[in-house]
């Protein structure tokens, strides 16, 4: 099986996930090939979802939140308090990570904006789950962006890690679960190295099909001094 085969097989488990209100999302990487085939089979929109963990320089191992596009922010209030993180160092961290997000988004989408997730059903896809942290954060970010229903679709995943996603997704489908963390290079017949150029091509190909025009409106980015106007959440 390759990643395209995996996407088609997952689509068979998600036949009801069709229509203009559905979008398939994946993080940058090999999961975009799975997601692209899944979206093509279901005839729905495809997009990349970008999330950056937040940690200040003096506490690099203390992740105090996650940042998405348009300055969408989710804060771990316990980590902020426990690390005695001041507003200035957080603001500097968040602006630096926001700039990385802007550059990455442009390299993958060009001038197109992200797909608007408001009132949409989101299918979060990846090619292999050995650690569910990234998919958990993607699900959290999709909720903050306005998704009303979230499904996670993966070809292969560690059983324990997949179980940790239950609080964050309304539906989880997986072709194969394993007791130990799976190795994607051994699971697929081809390594399918996926570059930024490859991802840009997959997104452009989906966009050209014109299944929907549900792209986000004006840029909601804010400066550090006015971050309270952007979408924010917290966990404790």
């Amino acid at each position: 099986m390759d990643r395209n085969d995996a996407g088609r097989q997952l689509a068979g488990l998600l036949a009801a996930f069709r229509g203009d209100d559905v979008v398939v999302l994946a993080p940058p990487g090999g999961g975009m090939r799975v997601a692209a085939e899944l979206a093509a089979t279901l005839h729905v929109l495809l997009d990349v979802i970008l999330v950056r963990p937040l940690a200040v320089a003096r506490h690099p191992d203390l992740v105090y939140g996650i940042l998405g596009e348009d300055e969408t922010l989710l804060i771990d209030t316990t980590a902020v308090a426990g690390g005695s993180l001041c507003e200035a160092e957080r603001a500097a961290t968040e602006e630096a990570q926001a700039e990385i997000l802007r550059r990455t988004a442009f390299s993958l989408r060009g001038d197109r904006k992200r797909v608007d997730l408001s009132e949409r059903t989101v299918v979060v896809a990846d090619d292999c789950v050995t650690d569910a942290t990234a998919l958990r954060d993607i699900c959290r970010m999709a909720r903050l962006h306005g998704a009303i229903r979230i499904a996670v679709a993966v070809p292969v995943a560690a059983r324990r890690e997949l179980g940790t996603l239950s609080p964050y997704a309304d539906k989880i489908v997986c072709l194969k679960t394993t007791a130990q963390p799976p190795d994607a290079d051994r699971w697929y017949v081809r390594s399918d190295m996926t570059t930024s150029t490859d991802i840009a091509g997959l997104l452009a190909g989906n966009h050209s099909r014109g299944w929907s025009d549900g792209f986000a409106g004006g840029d909601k980015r804010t400066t550090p001094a006015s971050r309270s106007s952007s979408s924010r959440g917290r966990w404790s």
Side-chain angles (χ1 to χ4, degrees), residues 99-173:
E99 180 58 28
I100 292 172
L101 286 172
R102 288 190 286 268
R103 291 200 306 266
T104 303
F106 183 78
S107 72
L108 300 179
R109 297 195 199 97
D111 292 328
R112 293 192 308 277
K113 295 188 178 294
R114 66 176 179 85
V115 174
D116 186 357
L117 303 186
S118 298
E119 302 298 313
R120 285 185 183 272
T121 293
V122 165
V123 179
V124 176
D126 210 345
D127 59 347
C128 182
V129 179
T130 58
D131 180 345
T133 301
L135 285 186
R136 178 203 66 193
D137 290 346
I138 286 171
C139 291
R140 285 169 160 168
M141 191 56 61
R143 294 281 190 199
L144 282 180
H145 282 315
I148 58 173
R149 187 184 184 198
I150 295 176
V152 170
V154 291
V156 59
R159 190 174 300 112
R160 178 176 297 181
E161 291 297 315
L162 199 65
T164 66
L165 294 174
S166 295
Y168 308 99
D170 303 290
K171 183 180 181 68
I172 299 174
V173 296

Side-chain angles (χ1 to χ4, degrees), residues 5-21:
D5 295 329
R8 287 190 290 271
Q9 290 186 43
L10 287 169
L13 300 177
L14 294 165
F17 286 71
R18 298 175 183 268
D20 289 347
D21 64 333

Side-chain angles (χ1 to χ4, degrees), residues 16-228:
F17 286 71
R18 298 175 183 268
D20 289 347
D21 64 333
V22 179
V23 56
V24 177
L25 302 177
M32 283 300 302
R33 294 187 184 276
V34 176
E37 193 64 34
L38 176 57
T41 304
L42 296 176
H43 290 197
V44 299
L45 276 173
L46 170 73
D47 201 7
V48 64
I49 184 164
L50 305 175
V51 181
R52 299 287 298 182
L54 297 171
V56 301
R58 65 184 176 88
H59 284 308
D61 296 327
L62 178 64
V63 175
Y64 72 85
I66 56 175
L67 181 70
E69 293 183 76
D70 301 333
E71 303 287 349
T72 306
L73 187 64
L74 186 63
I75 295 296
D76 181 345
T77 53
T78 300
V80 170
S84 300
L85 307 182
C86 71
E87 182 69 19
E89 62 184 347
R90 282 179 48 201
T93 295
E94 289 156 27
E95 180 54 37
Q97 294 300 323
E99 180 58 28
I100 292 172
L101 286 172
R102 288 190 286 268
R103 291 200 306 266
T104 303
F106 183 78
S107 72
L108 300 179
R109 297 195 199 97
D111 292 328
R112 293 192 308 277
K113 295 188 178 294
R114 66 176 179 85
V115 174
D116 186 357
L117 303 186
S118 298
E119 302 298 313
R120 285 185 183 272
T121 293
V122 165
V123 179
V124 176
D126 210 345
D127 59 347
C128 182
V129 179
T130 58
D131 180 345
T133 301
L135 285 186
R136 178 203 66 193
D137 290 346
I138 286 171
C139 291
R140 285 169 160 168
M141 191 56 61
R143 294 281 190 199
L144 282 180
H145 282 315
I148 58 173
R149 187 184 184 198
I150 295 176
V152 170
V154 291
V156 59
R159 190 174 300 112
R160 178 176 297 181
E161 291 297 315
L162 199 65
T164 66
L165 294 174
S166 295
Y168 308 99
D170 303 290
K171 183 180 181 68
I172 299 174
V173 296
C174 180
L175 301 178
K176 173 70 174 179
T177 59
T178 60
Q180 300 300 321
D183 183 344
D185 289 337
R186 294 183 179 180
W187 178 256
Y188 296 105
V189 295
R190 294 197 301 270
S191 62
D192 283 339
M193 286 293 293
T194 307
T195 66
S196 295
T197 301
D198 295 328
I199 294 171
L202 293 171
L203 294 175
N206 177 270
H207 178 64
S208 69
R209 291 182 174 98
W211 286 316
S212 175
D213 61 355
F215 290 86
D219 193 346
K220 301 175 184 176
R221 75 185 58 165
T222 61
T223 63
S226 61
R227 285 196 313 279
S228 61

